[in-house]
Amino acid sequence: MRTLKVIVVSGGVISGLGKGITTSSLGRLLKARGIAVTILKVDPYLNVDAGTMNPYQHGEVFVLDDGTEADLDLGNYERFLDQSLVGTHNLTTGKVYRTVIEKERRGDYLGNTVQIIPHITGEIKRGIREVFQTSGADVVLVEVGGTVGDIESMPFLEALRELSYELGEGHMAFVHTTLVPVVGPVGEAKTKPTQHSVRELRAIGIRPTMIIARGPAPLAPEIKAKISLFCDVTPEAVISVPDQSTIYEVPLVLEAQGVGQQLTKLLGLPDREPDYTAWKEFLATYRRDSSEIRVAVVGKYTDLRDAYLSHIEAFHHVQGRLGVTIHLDWYDAEDLPRDPAALARVSRADAILVPGGFGARGVEGKVLAISAARETGIPFLGVCYGFQMAAVEFARNVLALPQANTTEVEPATPDPVVCLLEDQKTLATLGGTMRLGALKVSLTEDSRIAQIYGRTEVSERHRHRYEVNPAYLNRFREHGLRATGRSPDGRVEVFELADHPFFFGVQYHPEFLSRPEAPHPLYLELVKAALARKGVPADVAPAPARA
Ligand code: GLN
C-alpha cells in the first residue's frame, strides 16, 4: 500500500522570497529521480479562489484545465513539473471554511460544537490526503502561503503538525525558506531574522528539517554553521540559494548542495541518479544569446510584472529553445493614446503582444498598438482581450465602422463586434457565465494556425465572458481576417490575417500551457517571425527528449 509522504515548505521573515520556485524546484529534484510527485498550495486568505482577486494585488490568475482560477504559483508548479494540476491542488481558507460550514448546516457534525481544532484542521488534512489519493503521487509537496507568524496561516501549520504526528517518523519533512539579509558597509550576512522565524515555527510545534536561506550572495560556511547551531538543523541541511539569473537554475543549485539526496533519505525513498539532461539543454540554449529581439507588451497591469507571469515565462521557454535573448518592453495601454512617442516606440518593436484583461481602462491604447502591428507588418499575438480588441480594431479601421466596440466597454455600440451571445444573456443574471478551463478548439485545415500547431484539434485554457459576434465574420473574411479556429459549438477562437507576416488573435490563453521543455508553438512562431523580419535565421534547437 502507498503511504503518504509530505514535504512542507514554509516561509519566514518576509514574503516574496521565491517560496513557490523553491517548492517547484524541490518537486523537480524528486521527479528527476523518477519519483511520482505533486504539489498542493495552501493559501491562508479568505477568498475561495483567486478568480475575484485584482491582478495588481496578487499577480495573474492562473487557470487550470478544470477551470479553477488559482494562485499563480500553480503555474510555476505545472512548468517545473511538466504536469497539469486540478483545483484540489489549491486549498484556501475560504474553501476550507466553506466546506466545514456546509457540513455543519447539513448536520454532519451530529450536534457537536464545530471548532478550528479539530474541524478546520481536519478538513485541511483531508484535503492533503485527497490530493495524495487522486494524484497517485508518492510525495505531496505542500507550500504554505504567507509567512510563519501570520495569524491566518496558523490553522494550516497546526494541521501539518498534527499530520506529521499521525504519519510518524520518516514521512514528513519541513523545509523552511528564510531571508539572510546582507547589511552594513562590509556586507555582513545576518542570521537573526532566520533564528526568530525558526523560533516562531518551533513555538507551533514544528521543527524544520532543512533551511533554505535566500539572499543576494552565497552563504559563507561560518554563516551556515551559525544557522545550523541556532536553529537545530544539521550543517548540510542549511542550503544557500542566492539570487539566480533565471529561476530555472534553482533545481540545479539545490541539487549541487545534496538536497535531493537528503530528502530521499529522510523520507525513505529510493535515491536514483537524477536525470537533468533536458533541463540542462534548456539552460544551455537559454544562455546562448545568439541575437536579441524586443517584444512590446501592451497591457494595463504593466506596473506589476507578476500580473503577466505566464506570458513572461512563455517567452523564457522560447529563449530556451531558440537561444535568442528576448527583451520584453512594457507599455501601459492607457498611456498610448496620449503619448505619441511611446506609440512610436511600440511601432518599432520586433513583435507586439496584447494580453488579456477586463474593463474599459486601456482598451483604446490596445487598439492603437494593434493598428500599428496590422499596418506595418510587425508580428502580433493578441490573447483573449487582445484577440477581441483585434476584432474591434479591424472593424473600425478596415470595415470602416468607427463606433465598433465590445459591449463590455460600450453596451450601446451600434456595432457590437464583441458581445454576449444570445444564450449568455439569459444566464447573465444568474452570474457565473465565465467560460473557464480547457476546451477543445478545431482549427481549419490548411490554415496557418493549423500549420503552427501541426494539428487541427487542440485543447486550450479559457477565461472570458464575451465572444466575437458571428454576424461580422463574413465581412471580416472578405477583407482578409479569417476565423480559423472554432469551439465545437461554433464560437470563434482564432483570427488570422492574410498578407501579414504573423498576425494572430486567440480567444484562449496559450501562455498557461507553455513549459520549459515544450514552449507553446504560438510564442515560438511569434519570435521566429520577428527574427525572420529582422533577417536573422532562427536556429531552432531540437526538442529535448521529454522526461
Ligand atoms: N474581458 C474579456 C471577456 O471577459 C476578456 C477576458 C480576458 O482577457 N481574460 O471576455
Side-chain angles (χ1 to χ4, degrees), residues 363-381:
V363 291
E364 293 307 322
K366 291 184 179 180
V367 168
L368 289 175
I370 296 165
S371 286
R374 186 179 52 75
E375 286 167 0
T376 57
I378 302 173
F380 165 77
L381 179 61

mmCIF file with all atom_site columns, all heavy atoms in Angstrom, residues 363-381:
data_model
loop_
_atom_site.group_PDB
_atom_site.id
_atom_site.type_symbol
_atom_site.label_atom_id
_atom_site.label_alt_id
_atom_site.label_comp_id
_atom_site.label_asym_id
_atom_site.label_entity_id
_atom_site.label_seq_id
_atom_site.pdbx_PDB_ins_code
_atom_site.Cartn_x
_atom_site.Cartn_y
_atom_site.Cartn_z
_atom_site.occupancy
_atom_site.B_iso_or_equiv
_atom_site.pdbx_formal_charge
_atom_site.auth_seq_id
_atom_site.auth_comp_id
_atom_site.auth_asym_id
_atom_site.auth_atom_id
_atom_site.pdbx_PDB_model_num
ATOM 1   N N   . VAL A 1 363 ? -8.290  50.160 -23.186 1.00 0.00 ? 363 VAL A N   1
ATOM 2   C CA  . VAL A 1 363 ? -8.621  49.458 -24.439 1.00 0.00 ? 363 VAL A CA  1
ATOM 3   C C   . VAL A 1 363 ? -8.235  50.270 -25.675 1.00 0.00 ? 363 VAL A C   1
ATOM 4   O O   . VAL A 1 363 ? -7.791  49.695 -26.677 1.00 0.00 ? 363 VAL A O   1
ATOM 5   C CB  . VAL A 1 363 ? -10.115 49.043 -24.551 1.00 0.00 ? 363 VAL A CB  1
ATOM 6   C CG1 . VAL A 1 363 ? -10.452 47.947 -23.577 1.00 0.00 ? 363 VAL A CG1 1
ATOM 7   C CG2 . VAL A 1 363 ? -11.030 50.224 -24.406 1.00 0.00 ? 363 VAL A CG2 1
ATOM 8   N N   . GLU A 1 364 ? -8.349  51.602 -25.623 1.00 0.00 ? 364 GLU A N   1
ATOM 9   C CA  . GLU A 1 364 ? -8.024  52.391 -26.817 1.00 0.00 ? 364 GLU A CA  1
ATOM 10  C C   . GLU A 1 364 ? -6.536  52.293 -27.146 1.00 0.00 ? 364 GLU A C   1
ATOM 11  O O   . GLU A 1 364 ? -6.144  52.284 -28.311 1.00 0.00 ? 364 GLU A O   1
ATOM 12  C CB  . GLU A 1 364 ? -8.464  53.847 -26.644 1.00 0.00 ? 364 GLU A CB  1
ATOM 13  C CG  . GLU A 1 364 ? -9.994  54.023 -26.583 1.00 0.00 ? 364 GLU A CG  1
ATOM 14  C CD  . GLU A 1 364 ? -10.734 53.385 -27.782 1.00 0.00 ? 364 GLU A CD  1
ATOM 15  O OE1 . GLU A 1 364 ? -10.211 53.461 -28.912 1.00 0.00 ? 364 GLU A OE1 1
ATOM 16  O OE2 . GLU A 1 364 ? -11.815 52.796 -27.568 1.00 0.00 ? 364 GLU A OE2 1
ATOM 17  N N   . GLY A 1 365 ? -5.712  52.195 -26.136 1.00 0.00 ? 365 GLY A N   1
ATOM 18  C CA  . GLY A 1 365 ? -4.269  52.020 -26.356 1.00 0.00 ? 365 GLY A CA  1
ATOM 19  C C   . GLY A 1 365 ? -3.977  50.668 -26.995 1.00 0.00 ? 365 GLY A C   1
ATOM 20  O O   . GLY A 1 365 ? -3.099  50.543 -27.867 1.00 0.00 ? 365 GLY A O   1
ATOM 21  N N   . LYS A 1 366 ? -4.732  49.670 -26.583 1.00 0.00 ? 366 LYS A N   1
ATOM 22  C CA  . LYS A 1 366 ? -4.544  48.340 -27.185 1.00 0.00 ? 366 LYS A CA  1
ATOM 23  C C   . LYS A 1 366 ? -4.906  48.403 -28.665 1.00 0.00 ? 366 LYS A C   1
ATOM 24  O O   . LYS A 1 366 ? -4.203  47.840 -29.515 1.00 0.00 ? 366 LYS A O   1
ATOM 25  C CB  . LYS A 1 366 ? -5.409  47.297 -26.471 1.00 0.00 ? 366 LYS A CB  1
ATOM 26  C CG  . LYS A 1 366 ? -4.938  47.020 -25.051 1.00 0.00 ? 366 LYS A CG  1
ATOM 27  C CD  . LYS A 1 366 ? -5.741  45.920 -24.373 1.00 0.00 ? 366 LYS A CD  1
ATOM 28  C CE  . LYS A 1 366 ? -5.180  45.683 -22.973 1.00 0.00 ? 366 LYS A CE  1
ATOM 29  N NZ  . LYS A 1 366 ? -5.878  44.641 -22.218 1.00 0.00 ? 366 LYS A NZ  1
ATOM 30  N N   . VAL A 1 367 ? -6.003  49.096 -28.973 1.00 0.00 ? 367 VAL A N   1
ATOM 31  C CA  . VAL A 1 367 ? -6.432  49.226 -30.370 1.00 0.00 ? 367 VAL A CA  1
ATOM 32  C C   . VAL A 1 367 ? -5.336  49.916 -31.192 1.00 0.00 ? 367 VAL A C   1
ATOM 33  O O   . VAL A 1 367 ? -5.007  49.481 -32.301 1.00 0.00 ? 367 VAL A O   1
ATOM 34  C CB  . VAL A 1 367 ? -7.777  49.984 -30.455 1.00 0.00 ? 367 VAL A CB  1
ATOM 35  C CG1 . VAL A 1 367 ? -8.091  50.382 -31.891 1.00 0.00 ? 367 VAL A CG1 1
ATOM 36  C CG2 . VAL A 1 367 ? -8.900  49.122 -29.875 1.00 0.00 ? 367 VAL A CG2 1
ATOM 37  N N   . LEU A 1 368 ? -4.710  50.958 -30.632 1.00 0.00 ? 368 LEU A N   1
ATOM 38  C CA  . LEU A 1 368 ? -3.647  51.665 -31.362 1.00 0.00 ? 368 LEU A CA  1
ATOM 39  C C   . LEU A 1 368 ? -2.452  50.750 -31.635 1.00 0.00 ? 368 LEU A C   1
ATOM 40  O O   . LEU A 1 368 ? -1.883  50.742 -32.729 1.00 0.00 ? 368 LEU A O   1
ATOM 41  C CB  . LEU A 1 368 ? -3.172  52.889 -30.560 1.00 0.00 ? 368 LEU A CB  1
ATOM 42  C CG  . LEU A 1 368 ? -4.160  54.057 -30.494 1.00 0.00 ? 368 LEU A CG  1
ATOM 43  C CD1 . LEU A 1 368 ? -3.621  55.148 -29.564 1.00 0.00 ? 368 LEU A CD1 1
ATOM 44  C CD2 . LEU A 1 368 ? -4.410  54.627 -31.892 1.00 0.00 ? 368 LEU A CD2 1
ATOM 45  N N   . ALA A 1 369 ? -2.076  49.962 -30.627 1.00 0.00 ? 369 ALA A N   1
ATOM 46  C CA  . ALA A 1 369 ? -0.933  49.055 -30.800 1.00 0.00 ? 369 ALA A CA  1
ATOM 47  C C   . ALA A 1 369 ? -1.251  48.012 -31.872 1.00 0.00 ? 369 ALA A C   1
ATOM 48  O O   . ALA A 1 369 ? -0.389  47.653 -32.686 1.00 0.00 ? 369 ALA A O   1
ATOM 49  C CB  . ALA A 1 369 ? -0.601  48.374 -29.474 1.00 0.00 ? 369 ALA A CB  1
ATOM 50  N N   . ILE A 1 370 ? -2.491  47.539 -31.884 1.00 0.00 ? 370 ILE A N   1
ATOM 51  C CA  . ILE A 1 370 ? -2.877  46.522 -32.872 1.00 0.00 ? 370 ILE A CA  1
ATOM 52  C C   . ILE A 1 370 ? -2.869  47.123 -34.279 1.00 0.00 ? 370 ILE A C   1
ATOM 53  O O   . ILE A 1 370 ? -2.405  46.482 -35.232 1.00 0.00 ? 370 ILE A O   1
ATOM 54  C CB  . ILE A 1 370 ? -4.255  45.907 -32.505 1.00 0.00 ? 370 ILE A CB  1
ATOM 55  C CG1 . ILE A 1 370 ? -4.156  45.157 -31.173 1.00 0.00 ? 370 ILE A CG1 1
ATOM 56  C CG2 . ILE A 1 370 ? -4.744  44.984 -33.609 1.00 0.00 ? 370 ILE A CG2 1
ATOM 57  C CD1 . ILE A 1 370 ? -5.480  44.812 -30.525 1.00 0.00 ? 370 ILE A CD1 1
ATOM 58  N N   . SER A 1 371 ? -3.348  48.370 -34.404 1.00 0.00 ? 371 SER A N   1
ATOM 59  C CA  . SER A 1 371 ? -3.285  49.055 -35.707 1.00 0.00 ? 371 SER A CA  1
ATOM 60  C C   . SER A 1 371 ? -1.856  49.091 -36.216 1.00 0.00 ? 371 SER A C   1
ATOM 61  O O   . SER A 1 371 ? -1.583  48.806 -37.392 1.00 0.00 ? 371 SER A O   1
ATOM 62  C CB  . SER A 1 371 ? -3.747  50.511 -35.596 1.00 0.00 ? 371 SER A CB  1
ATOM 63  O OG  . SER A 1 371 ? -5.116  50.565 -35.445 1.00 0.00 ? 371 SER A OG  1
ATOM 64  N N   . ALA A 1 372 ? -0.941  49.461 -35.308 1.00 0.00 ? 372 ALA A N   1
ATOM 65  C CA  . ALA A 1 372 ? 0.465   49.569 -35.698 1.00 0.00 ? 372 ALA A CA  1
ATOM 66  C C   . ALA A 1 372 ? 0.963   48.220 -36.214 1.00 0.00 ? 372 ALA A C   1
ATOM 67  O O   . ALA A 1 372 ? 1.631   48.139 -37.254 1.00 0.00 ? 372 ALA A O   1
ATOM 68  C CB  . ALA A 1 372 ? 1.308   50.036 -34.513 1.00 0.00 ? 372 ALA A CB  1
ATOM 69  N N   . ALA A 1 373 ? 0.610   47.161 -35.504 1.00 0.00 ? 373 ALA A N   1
ATOM 70  C CA  . ALA A 1 373 ? 1.068   45.827 -35.912 1.00 0.00 ? 373 ALA A CA  1
ATOM 71  C C   . ALA A 1 373 ? 0.466   45.444 -37.259 1.00 0.00 ? 373 ALA A C   1
ATOM 72  O O   . ALA A 1 373 ? 1.147   44.930 -38.147 1.00 0.00 ? 373 ALA A O   1
ATOM 73  C CB  . ALA A 1 373 ? 0.684   44.797 -34.852 1.00 0.00 ? 373 ALA A CB  1
ATOM 74  N N   . ARG A 1 374 ? -0.822  45.702 -37.422 1.00 0.00 ? 374 ARG A N   1
ATOM 75  C CA  . ARG A 1 374 ? -1.500  45.294 -38.651 1.00 0.00 ? 374 ARG A CA  1
ATOM 76  C C   . ARG A 1 374 ? -0.964  46.050 -39.858 1.00 0.00 ? 374 ARG A C   1
ATOM 77  O O   . ARG A 1 374 ? -0.700  45.471 -40.909 1.00 0.00 ? 374 ARG A O   1
ATOM 78  C CB  . ARG A 1 374 ? -3.017  45.516 -38.514 1.00 0.00 ? 374 ARG A CB  1
ATOM 79  C CG  . ARG A 1 374 ? -3.827  44.970 -39.696 1.00 0.00 ? 374 ARG A CG  1
ATOM 80  C CD  . ARG A 1 374 ? -5.313  45.180 -39.512 1.00 0.00 ? 374 ARG A CD  1
ATOM 81  N NE  . ARG A 1 374 ? -5.676  46.552 -39.202 1.00 0.00 ? 374 ARG A NE  1
ATOM 82  C CZ  . ARG A 1 374 ? -5.688  47.558 -40.080 1.00 0.00 ? 374 ARG A CZ  1
ATOM 83  N NH1 . ARG A 1 374 ? -5.361  47.338 -41.338 1.00 0.00 ? 374 ARG A NH1 1
ATOM 84  N NH2 . ARG A 1 374 ? -6.009  48.784 -39.706 1.00 0.00 ? 374 ARG A NH2 1
ATOM 85  N N   . GLU A 1 375 ? -0.750  47.352 -39.674 1.00 0.00 ? 375 GLU A N   1
ATOM 86  C CA  . GLU A 1 375 ? -0.369  48.178 -40.821 1.00 0.00 ? 375 GLU A CA  1
ATOM 87  C C   . GLU A 1 375 ? 1.105   48.047 -41.198 1.00 0.00 ? 375 GLU A C   1
ATOM 88  O O   . GLU A 1 375 ? 1.463   48.185 -42.363 1.00 0.00 ? 375 GLU A O   1
ATOM 89  C CB  . GLU A 1 375 ? -0.688  49.647 -40.531 1.00 0.00 ? 375 GLU A CB  1
ATOM 90  C CG  . GLU A 1 375 ? -2.188  49.906 -40.610 1.00 0.00 ? 375 GLU A CG  1
ATOM 91  C CD  . GLU A 1 375 ? -2.581  51.251 -40.016 1.00 0.00 ? 375 GLU A CD  1
ATOM 92  O OE1 . GLU A 1 375 ? -1.682  51.989 -39.541 1.00 0.00 ? 375 GLU A OE1 1
ATOM 93  O OE2 . GLU A 1 375 ? -3.791  51.552 -40.021 1.00 0.00 ? 375 GLU A OE2 1
ATOM 94  N N   . THR A 1 376 ? 1.966   47.809 -40.204 1.00 0.00 ? 376 THR A N   1
ATOM 95  C CA  . THR A 1 376 ? 3.399   47.818 -40.514 1.00 0.00 ? 376 THR A CA  1
ATOM 96  C C   . THR A 1 376 ? 3.981   46.415 -40.668 1.00 0.00 ? 376 THR A C   1
ATOM 97  O O   . THR A 1 376 ? 5.159   46.273 -40.982 1.00 0.00 ? 376 THR A O   1
ATOM 98  C CB  . THR A 1 376 ? 4.198   48.537 -39.407 1.00 0.00 ? 376 THR A CB  1
ATOM 99  O OG1 . THR A 1 376 ? 3.908   47.868 -38.181 1.00 0.00 ? 376 THR A OG1 1
ATOM 100 C CG2 . THR A 1 376 ? 3.834   49.994 -39.297 1.00 0.00 ? 376 THR A CG2 1
ATOM 101 N N   . GLY A 1 377 ? 3.185   45.390 -40.404 1.00 0.00 ? 377 GLY A N   1
ATOM 102 C CA  . GLY A 1 377 ? 3.693   44.027 -40.567 1.00 0.00 ? 377 GLY A CA  1
ATOM 103 C C   . GLY A 1 377 ? 4.501   43.518 -39.390 1.00 0.00 ? 377 GLY A C   1
ATOM 104 O O   . GLY A 1 377 ? 5.229   42.535 -39.512 1.00 0.00 ? 377 GLY A O   1
ATOM 105 N N   . ILE A 1 378 ? 4.382   44.181 -38.236 1.00 0.00 ? 378 ILE A N   1
ATOM 106 C CA  . ILE A 1 378 ? 5.067   43.667 -37.037 1.00 0.00 ? 378 ILE A CA  1
ATOM 107 C C   . ILE A 1 378 ? 4.333   42.405 -36.580 1.00 0.00 ? 378 ILE A C   1
ATOM 108 O O   . ILE A 1 378 ? 3.106   42.416 -36.450 1.00 0.00 ? 378 ILE A O   1
ATOM 109 C CB  . ILE A 1 378 ? 5.038   44.702 -35.883 1.00 0.00 ? 378 ILE A CB  1
ATOM 110 C CG1 . ILE A 1 378 ? 5.695   46.006 -36.316 1.00 0.00 ? 378 ILE A CG1 1
ATOM 111 C CG2 . ILE A 1 378 ? 5.706   44.148 -34.628 1.00 0.00 ? 378 ILE A CG2 1
ATOM 112 C CD1 . ILE A 1 378 ? 5.554   47.119 -35.293 1.00 0.00 ? 378 ILE A CD1 1
ATOM 113 N N   . PRO A 1 379 ? 5.068   41.324 -36.326 1.00 0.00 ? 379 PRO A N   1
ATOM 114 C CA  . PRO A 1 379 ? 4.416   40.111 -35.818 1.00 0.00 ? 379 PRO A CA  1
ATOM 115 C C   . PRO A 1 379 ? 3.610   40.421 -34.554 1.00 0.00 ? 379 PRO A C   1
ATOM 116 O O   . PRO A 1 379 ? 4.093   41.115 -33.648 1.00 0.00 ? 379 PRO A O   1
ATOM 117 C CB  . PRO A 1 379 ? 5.592   39.181 -35.524 1.00 0.00 ? 379 PRO A CB  1
ATOM 118 C CG  . PRO A 1 379 ? 6.642   39.619 -36.493 1.00 0.00 ? 379 PRO A CG  1
ATOM 119 C CD  . PRO A 1 379 ? 6.496   41.115 -36.580 1.00 0.00 ? 379 PRO A CD  1
ATOM 120 N N   . PHE A 1 380 ? 2.386   39.912 -34.538 1.00 0.00 ? 380 PHE A N   1
ATOM 121 C CA  . PHE A 1 380 ? 1.452   40.274 -33.475 1.00 0.00 ? 380 PHE A CA  1
ATOM 122 C C   . PHE A 1 380 ? 0.734   39.048 -32.935 1.00 0.00 ? 380 PHE A C   1
ATOM 123 O O   . PHE A 1 380 ? 0.305   38.176 -33.694 1.00 0.00 ? 380 PHE A O   1
ATOM 124 C CB  . PHE A 1 380 ? 0.409   41.255 -34.032 1.00 0.00 ? 380 PHE A CB  1
ATOM 125 C CG  . PHE A 1 380 ? -0.807  41.408 -33.144 1.00 0.00 ? 380 PHE A CG  1
ATOM 126 C CD1 . PHE A 1 380 ? -0.752  42.182 -31.987 1.00 0.00 ? 380 PHE A CD1 1
ATOM 127 C CD2 . PHE A 1 380 ? -2.012  40.763 -33.451 1.00 0.00 ? 380 PHE A CD2 1
ATOM 128 C CE1 . PHE A 1 380 ? -1.875  42.319 -31.160 1.00 0.00 ? 380 PHE A CE1 1
ATOM 129 C CE2 . PHE A 1 380 ? -3.134  40.892 -32.637 1.00 0.00 ? 380 PHE A CE2 1
ATOM 130 C CZ  . PHE A 1 380 ? -3.061  41.672 -31.492 1.00 0.00 ? 380 PHE A CZ  1
ATOM 131 N N   . LEU A 1 381 ? 0.621   39.001 -31.613 1.00 0.00 ? 381 LEU A N   1
ATOM 132 C CA  . LEU A 1 381 ? -0.217  37.982 -30.970 1.00 0.00 ? 381 LEU A CA  1
ATOM 133 C C   . LEU A 1 381 ? -1.165  38.683 -30.008 1.00 0.00 ? 381 LEU A C   1
ATOM 134 O O   . LEU A 1 381 ? -0.728  39.420 -29.115 1.00 0.00 ? 381 LEU A O   1
ATOM 135 C CB  . LEU A 1 381 ? 0.654   36.969 -30.213 1.00 0.00 ? 381 LEU A CB  1
ATOM 136 C CG  . LEU A 1 381 ? -0.096  35.864 -29.465 1.00 0.00 ? 381 LEU A CG  1
ATOM 137 C CD1 . LEU A 1 381 ? -0.938  35.000 -30.405 1.00 0.00 ? 381 LEU A CD1 1
ATOM 138 C CD2 . LEU A 1 381 ? 0.893   34.981 -28.684 1.00 0.00 ? 381 LEU A CD2 1
#
